Amino acid sequence: MAHHFVRLTPRDPLIARDGRPFGASSGNRMRSLPWFYPSLFSGSLRSLLGKATGGFSTETVAALKALEIAGPLALLNNTLFFPRPLDARVFESGAERHCYGLRPGALGAGEGVDLPGPNLLPTLLPDGANMDGKPAEIAQFWSSARMADWLTRSSASGFTAPPDNTPSSADTGYLAAPPVDFRTHTALSDEKGVADDGKLFITAGLDLNLPNTADIVQLVSRVGNSGWCQQVLEGLAQVHPMGGDRRLANWQHTDDQHLWECPQGVASALARATKIRLYLATPGLFDGGWLPGWLDKTTFTGCPPGIDGGLKLTLRAVCSERWQPLSGWSLERNSWGPKAARRMVPAGSVYFFTCEQGDAAQLVPRWLSSVCDKAQDRNDGFGLALWGTWDEHKN
Amino acid sequence: MDNGFLLALTVGPVQEFIAAARRTRDLWLGSKLLSDICQATALSVHQQQGELIFPHPSIIAPPATPTPTNRAGAVANVILARLAGDADPAEVARVAKNAAYQCWRRYAEELMDDKHLAASVDPLLWQQQKDDVIECYSAWVPLDRSYADARARVMQLLLHGRKSCRNFMAASGVAGIPKSSLDGRRESVLVRHPSSLLKHNVAPSPQFPLADGEELDVVGVVKRAAKGYQAYPSVARVAADPWLRKLEALDPSRFAALNHECARLHEVKALNRVNNHPHYAYFPFDGTAVFPTRYESMAKEAGVSKDDFAALAALLNKITANNRGLGQPDPYLALIAADGDRLGQAIAKIDSVATHREFSRALAGFALSVESLVHEHRGVCVYAGGDDVLAMVPVDKALACARALRDAFIAATEPVGLATPLTLSVGVAIGHCMEPLEDLLNYARAAEKFAKVGYTDRDTTPGDRADKTRNGFAVSVHPRSGPGVKVREPWQDTANALDKRLNEWAGYFRNNLLPTKLPYDLKQLALAHGALSCAEALQADILLLLKRKQVEKTLRVHLVTKTASIRTTNDVLRLASEMLVAQKIADARVLQPEPSAHTEV
């Protein structure tokens, strides 16, 4: 399958609404998500391609939905950035910040936790970790180099603590979450052409301009297709809306293949690894809610999608946060309206596996491929995986 | 396990219960609901012979005297207990979790006894969502090491490690139906309109108020209507309180007429009555009654005609037109968020179950005292769980209430004899009652955070930051237009503490002894001086400014003494900020002396 690469440069703050109703009779205030969900990006790109190829017949819609769109990922100055890994914890002690990695930890005699499987382990901080107070804030996006470093460290010792989530230079390898840009508008009276009394509404968009610089965060994606609309993709260079309020962005075909390849250091580490970390670069959608459907419900053993067998992984622990709701608005003719609510495993979540059988090097070509269960979710860009290694804390 | 076990449980979802809210009732009932669920969980552990360490049993025991049905929640969402050596911790946790689920289900199922409500929701969606709300996690360790080590292991390592794996079921959502307006996490359960799935088909009523187009999921409906609908004081009622007190003092006959008209509107179900808050008994109605711009939406929500409000609007016009120093009602209120400082570190040093239980007893005592303390300051307590407080108070009582909370916390925890005495950081956010409740809550939490950590990026060294963390008092003002302003200082017990200064400045502004433009002139003065100014020049210019503004001589001399510590332009800007905050407090001040039973003497 041929891969194309599409880069989006925002012209305006882009709107990624949460699921709360918004409109003339259902709420006059938007709430922004902290980052773009994959379906928002892939839906906008499919609309663009559909218009460019002459409409939305049933066949075209089916072909558009079959496009494998991976993304969106943040890009700044040709460096890819990923959501912070949830197995990283920082504690502050005076002016110092200490960074620790959470790892599956064995329970002592008589100890217990009510995990959803008998062989699952809690993820623990190392003994002697300085845990004064609550965990500190961490920069929301890590560069690909930082992530590669993090994913190949058996422990976090020696890993310089990331800064907090305040605007920082990308040179440090960290990015803060984009600020939300609020704008107050008023509806206009159809009859008088003036502001309608009591019809104020507020929009909220993510501003991807880096404060106090000329830099802007772009969104990148990889599109896999089997020849359909290849010409349109190759010639792609146009302005098209993404998200709410028809905010505009520039969409462009680029040669970004190198961004999507597994770093050599990670590939080498995986080649001899028996303990594997799966990190979700975009939110995951699984048949079992928190549990990927490709894992057996009782033994938690299985093989990720796209691997030709011979690899057998057993889940040992999970480091995640509470589920996130996925909503959305379908523009398809026969299902126009709100999509059914779904629950996602947040981006940044980490699944710890042991490799029971096969060579973990088979995962290298699956770098930044989806591990979701449903084909459509994989095509929409959910559950893009990075792979790494881990080891128990040496206490 | 000869020495028994330590069992820790945590109950949620916290955010869904206490953050997603449009009306104060959503917020209060969500907090109470979470508190009740945690209480049921703790009670179950207690009934299984668990020795509760946190919360203290005194807070979960049925009170000797019946409490009002609207008592604020007071049980935090973490439970720690010691179990006997022959206990099965996994089974105790399982039964306790079941008690949590049952408590939630009772709330939801009682609602369905109301025919109107039962007809308002889709039974299938209701059932699906109802059984998939509560989250409860547990961990346990044997007490085969020191108590401090065992507690740290179970609370800081295993329970957190357990919570890292947030197991959940895939959603069973339904396409075509809008999501909840409160947080968008689930589909609305309201029955759909025959013509379109996008609209619900529920007529709002006093028992089940709904804003135009508002959608609610199972959690939203429970928060809005559980326990038999009783109106909870709205943000508008809290905001209106100073004005109502002034009206009662200055124009008793019109105040009586206002009460009479509101009682009539209550009769026709157009206006809610506020019960169980004795300090609001002198005007026991929703405060929105004194804000005419809200009448149209009030009528819509209550499902009545807006013409019902015509007489009230005319009466208010007369009251405010015949201005006897009363003016328009000020639509601002204060939200207070407070949190104990470094409790984790204090608890880490506790080396016995007995001491920890004493500590929990002290926290329980504080939590139980908060509600009456807030009522004394004419406010409303949303929750007081452990060391965590959220309350709404009239602007003119905010400073006194904040200090009273801090004093009560210290008084409650001091007798425990911890190595380091505990402190309470308190944030006060003053905001407009028409702001979305979600925003007001965010202001309050930001103020609390600012009280806890007051340093900025400019404070780079530990020395710079040392006196700007914890034990803080902060006030922020959020006008509906224009920039906000905030001030912070560590708590002090001197006459020159921040709250005392704000009180003093507010008094001068209230009595027109200082010109309202003074804070802006001080800002200009600071800008004119720039970074190179010296202390003497600044103080001389401040004195000159006060003279030019024709501030009375005695006060001028006093102010010069009060501001003798000013050294830099930042100090001047800070003084300007304090005065801007004080002006907002002055707006709500009651003229003194006031012949009313409802104000402090």
Side-chain angles (χ1 to χ4, degrees):
Chain A
M1 182 182 288
H3 280 137
H4 297 273
F5 301 92
V6 174
R7 201 182 277 201
L8 177 150
T9 310
R11 176 191 169 279
D12 309 315
L14 298 172
I15 289 176
R17 272 179 45 211
D18 73 358
R20 284 179 262 201
F22 175 79
S25 65
S26 52
N28 62 351
R29 189 189 172 92
M30 277 185 191
R31 270 82 170 192
S32 178
L33 294 168
W35 187 246
F36 308 96
Y37 287 163
S39 46
L40 174 69
F41 183 91
S42 50
S44 301
L45 182 54
R46 287 188 179 117
S47 295
L48 184 161
L49 295 172
K51 290 172 198 170
T53 51
F56 295 94
S57 65
T58 310
E59 296 75 22
T60 307
V61 168
L64 285 168
K65 287 170 82 173
L67 289 173
E68 284 182 25
I69 301 173
L73 298 173
L75 184 85
L76 182 67
N77 300 332
N78 286 315
T79 303
L80 214 50
F81 281 81
F82 296 103
R84 86 228 174 290
L86 292 172
D87 62 341
R89 283 276 189 286
V90 171
F91 289 90
E92 283 179 340
S93 164
E96 288 184 4
R97 289 169 66 88
H98 305 279
C99 182
Y100 303 104
L102 288 160
R103 296 289 181 267
L107 294 169
E111 293 181 342
V113 286
D114 63 338
L115 280 160
N119 296 320
L120 286 181
L121 296 169
T123 50
L124 305 181
L125 291 162
D127 276 0
N130 184 339
M131 292 185 293
D132 273 356
K134 297 183 176 80
E137 275 191 352
I138 302 180
Q140 290 296 295
F141 292 93
W142 295 25
S143 71
S144 48
R146 294 277 183 197
M147 277 306 304
D149 182 4
W150 181 257
L151 286 170
T152 49
R153 277 175 184 265
S154 54
S155 81
S157 68
F159 191 89
T160 307
D164 60 13
N165 193 37
T166 48
S168 54
S169 161
D171 301 346
T172 62
Y174 298 103
L175 267 180
V180 179
D181 165 88
F182 293 101
R183 295 180 181 183
T184 303
H185 312 256
T186 180
L188 294 178
S189 157
D190 289 340
E191 293 166 17
K192 301 172 189 166
V194 296
D196 226 349
D197 198 28
K199 292 281 176 66
L200 284 177
F201 63 96
I202 296 170
T203 57
L206 294 174
D207 185 355
L208 298 186
N209 289 289
L210 240 57
N212 310 318
T213 70
D215 294 331
I216 187 163
V217 175
Q218 298 171 297
L219 305 181
V220 292
S221 67
R222 181 187 61 206
V223 184
N225 83 326
S226 41
W228 185 82
C229 74
Q230 180 153 329
Q231 272 187 311
V232 175
L233 274 168
E234 283 174 352
L236 185 61
Q238 72 174 90
V239 171
H240 186 268
M242 182 175 104
D245 204 32
R246 296 184 61 78
R247 297 281 176 88
L248 296 174
N250 186 39
W251 301 70
Q252 200 161 19
H253 186 272
T254 56
D255 181 18
D256 281 340
Q257 171 76 44
H258 62 286
L259 295 174
W260 296 79
E261 288 165 355
C262 179
Q264 190 51 52
V266 178
S268 309
L270 284 171
R272 51 180 188 275
T274 55
K275 291 175 180 158
I276 306 296
R277 252 189 294 177
L278 156 62
Y279 156 93
L280 293 176
T282 56
L285 285 163
F286 299 118
D287 290 346
W290 68 282
L291 185 70
W294 43 269
L295 291 172
D296 181 272
K297 286 192 180 100
T298 48
T299 62
F300 296 151
T301 296
C303 176
I307 306 278
D308 297 332
L311 185 68
K312 191 169 158 193
L313 303 179
T314 300
L315 182 67
R316 304 315 314 274
V318 181
C319 203
S320 182
E321 283 180 345
R322 195 159 182 253
W323 58 269
Q324 291 172 330
L326 173 68
S327 183
W329 194 276
S330 171
L331 294 173
E332 283 186 67
R333 243 179 251 123
N334 53 0
S335 63
W336 187 89
K339 293 180 181 175
R342 300 180 70 189
R343 294 176 175 183
M344 306 185 296
V345 178
S349 297
V350 177
Y351 287 69
F352 295 85
F353 294 96
T354 49
C355 185
E356 311 298 337
Q357 183 186 308
D359 185 356
Q362 292 179 81
L363 296 167
V364 172
R366 302 295 299 161
W367 182 262
L368 280 173
S369 293
S370 174
V371 290
C372 290
D373 296 314
K374 290 190 168 59
Q376 191 57 58
D377 295 334
R378 292 200 291 270
N379 290 349
D380 289 348
F382 289 98
L384 299 187
L386 303 187
W387 300 91
T389 56
W390 64 275
D391 206 350
E392 286 95 353
H393 291 304
K394 301 285 186 282
N395 293 323
Chain B
M1 299 298 163
D2 296 348
N3 297 321
F5 297 88
L6 275 185
L7 170 68
L9 296 110
T10 176
V11 182
V14 175
Q15 288 304 310
E16 259 179 86
F17 284 150
I18 68 168
R22 185 181 65 83
R23 303 169 65 101
T24 48
R25 189 184 194 280
D26 302 342
L27 184 65
W28 160 74
L29 198 107
S31 310
K32 178 174 165 49
L33 176 57
L34 182 62
S35 174
D36 285 358
I37 292 167
C38 297
Q39 183 166 338
T41 315
L43 190 61
S44 167
V45 173
H46 180 68
Q47 287 166 343
Q48 294 177 79
Q49 314 310 315
E51 183 187 7
L52 283 175
I53 298 169
F54 183 83
H56 192 267
S58 61
I59 210 165
I60 63 156
T65 53
T67 52
T69 52
N70 63 353
R71 199 186 84 179
V75 182
N77 72 319
V78 177
I79 291 142
L80 179 67
R82 177 164 62 181
L83 306 180
D86 58 352
D88 177 356
E91 179 60 12
V92 173
R94 190 192 63 77
V95 173
K97 271 193 252 182
N98 196 40
Y101 297 137
Q102 291 306 330
C103 179
W104 155 252
R105 282 196 195 109
R106 269 197 305 279
Y107 258 94
E109 282 160 9
E110 276 174 15
L111 272 185
M112 293 301 100
D113 296 339
D114 179 310
K115 282 183 183 159
H116 171 69
L117 277 167
S120 300
V121 303
D122 178 306
L124 191 64
L125 274 175
W126 179 265
Q127 198 60 35
Q128 274 175 357
Q129 291 187 10
K130 174 174 71 76
D131 293 335
D132 190 18
V133 170
I134 300 300
E135 297 164 8
C136 192
Y137 307 106
S138 60
W140 55 91
V141 296
L143 257 170
D144 56 0
R145 62 192 96 182
S146 77
Y147 173 71
D149 287 350
R151 194 209 57 80
R153 173 114 181 124
V154 75
M155 294 291 289
Q156 287 175 283
L157 286 174
L158 296 194
L159 192 59
H160 280 286
R162 163 61 187 98
K163 278 178 72 178
S164 281
C165 179
R166 299 288 187 118
N167 47 305
F168 62 89
M169 295 189 292
S172 47
V174 182
I177 297 177
K179 313 297 179 294
S180 163
S181 304
L182 295 187
D183 59 11
R185 291 185 80 84
R186 299 179 184 84
E187 273 91 9
S188 168
V189 291
L190 304 181
V191 287
R192 308 323 296 167
H193 200 277
S195 67
S196 167
L197 284 178
L198 293 178
K199 290 192 289 187
H200 66 69
N201 197 26
V202 179
S205 68
Q207 285 70 39
F208 189 37
L210 284 169
D212 196 17
E214 187 174 28
E215 301 282 1
L216 297 173
D217 66 359
V218 68
V219 180
V221 171
V222 169
K223 290 198 294 193
R224 184 64 52 86
K227 295 289 172 194
Y229 186 81
Q230 286 186 37
Y232 192 72
S234 65
V235 282
R237 178 61 187 84
V238 179
D241 200 61
W243 186 85
L244 289 163
R245 278 181 270 132
K246 280 191 265 188
L247 176 63
E248 188 194 29
L250 297 172
D251 197 343
S253 64
R254 283 225 164 85
F255 178 74
L258 180 69
N259 250 317
H260 185 267
E261 178 57 23
C262 288
R264 187 192 68 76
L265 284 168
H266 175 67
E267 286 295 310
V268 299
K269 296 192 161 50
L271 185 67
N272 280 323
R273 199 182 159 89
V274 176
N275 300 317
N276 298 317
H277 284 75
H279 50 296
Y280 292 154
Y282 76 109
F283 181 80
F285 304 104
D286 186 353
T288 321
V290 304
F291 297 111
T293 54
R294 302 285 298 131
Y295 291 171
E296 194 172 339
S297 61
M298 273 172 81
K300 262 188 190 170
E301 270 194 52
V304 299
S305 162
K306 73 171 181 184
D307 295 343
D308 285 339
F309 288 87
L312 180 62
L315 176 62
L316 268 173
N317 257 336
K318 274 187 200 165
I319 291 171
T320 50
N322 183 13
N323 195 332
R324 303 188 197 178
L326 187 66
Q328 299 283 344
D330 186 44
Y332 283 80
L333 77 151
L335 283 92
I336 298 182
D339 187 50
D341 299 320
R342 299 196 174 101
L343 253 72
Q345 289 176 33
I347 291 170
K349 292 175 184 156
I350 293 177
D351 57 2
S352 74
V353 170
T355 310
H356 197 159
R357 277 169 63 91
E358 271 314 298
F359 179 68
S360 299
R361 184 201 296 274
L363 282 183
F366 169 70
L368 290 171
S369 72
V370 165
E371 187 155 50
S372 58
L373 190 150
V374 170
H375 284 193
E376 280 167 30
H377 291 87
R378 315 196 51 77
V380 175
C381 181
V382 177
Y383 63 78
D387 60 318
D388 217 356
V389 176
L390 181 69
M392 307 183 294
V393 293
V395 172
D396 63 333
K397 306 291 179 190
L399 299 177
C401 187
R403 183 170 279 274
L405 282 170
R406 177 255 185 176
D407 291 349
F409 183 77
I410 290 172
T413 54
E414 221 165 23
V416 182
L418 296 170
T420 312
L422 289 177
T423 55
L424 187 78
S425 286
V426 185
V428 177
I430 297 172
H432 194 288
C433 69
M434 282 280 292
E435 293 277 13
L437 188 57
E438 191 181 0
D439 287 2
L440 292 172
L441 291 173
N442 287 337
Y443 296 155
R445 292 191 180 107
E448 182 200 288
K449 192 174 176 185
F450 186 51
K452 276 189 178 289
V453 182
Y455 58 73
T456 64
D457 293 342
R458 288 196 302 273
D459 303 304
T460 49
T461 70
D464 288 336
R465 296 181 170 200
D467 73 332
K468 295 180 180 176
T469 56
R470 310 301 189 274
N471 189 29
F473 169 59
V475 187
S476 61
V477 176
H478 303 267
R480 282 211 101 186
S481 60
V485 60
K486 60 184 184 181
V487 289
R488 179 203 182 271
E489 201 174 76
W491 280 111
Q492 291 176 28
D493 291 311
T494 66
N496 201 35
L498 175 60
D499 56 324
K500 307 278 196 248
R501 290 201 306 275
L502 291 174
N503 240 328
E504 189 178 336
W505 308 149
Y508 299 144
F509 285 116
R510 182 73 191 85
N511 296 311
N512 298 321
L513 296 171
L514 287 178
T516 51
K517 203 167 160 284
L518 182 61
Y520 303 99
D521 290 328
L522 285 169
K523 281 187 176 184
Q524 288 299 328
L525 187 151
L527 286 172
H529 273 257
L532 297 173
S533 188
C534 69
E536 291 78 5
L538 279 172
Q539 288 178 14
D541 267 359
I542 290 171
L543 178 59
L544 198 62
L545 176 64
L546 295 172
K547 274 184 184 168
R548 215 174 53 235
K549 291 281 169 189
Q550 298 178 344
V551 174
E552 192 263 329
K553 188 176 176 184
T554 321
L555 177 57
R556 215 163 56 213
V557 172
H558 174 67
L559 287 175
V560 168
T561 313
K562 283 286 277 193
T563 56
S565 60
I566 283 182
R567 291 276 171 275
T568 65
T569 50
N570 274 346
D571 295 338
V572 180
L573 291 172
R574 183 190 162 78
L575 176 63
S577 296
E578 283 182 20
M579 288 190 165
L580 286 169
V581 170
Q583 282 183 347
K584 199 66 233 165
I585 293 165
D587 288 344
R589 276 283 170 86
V590 178
L591 284 168
Q592 301 293 346
E594 188 190 52
S596 163
H598 305 296
T599 50
E600 296 166 357
V601 177

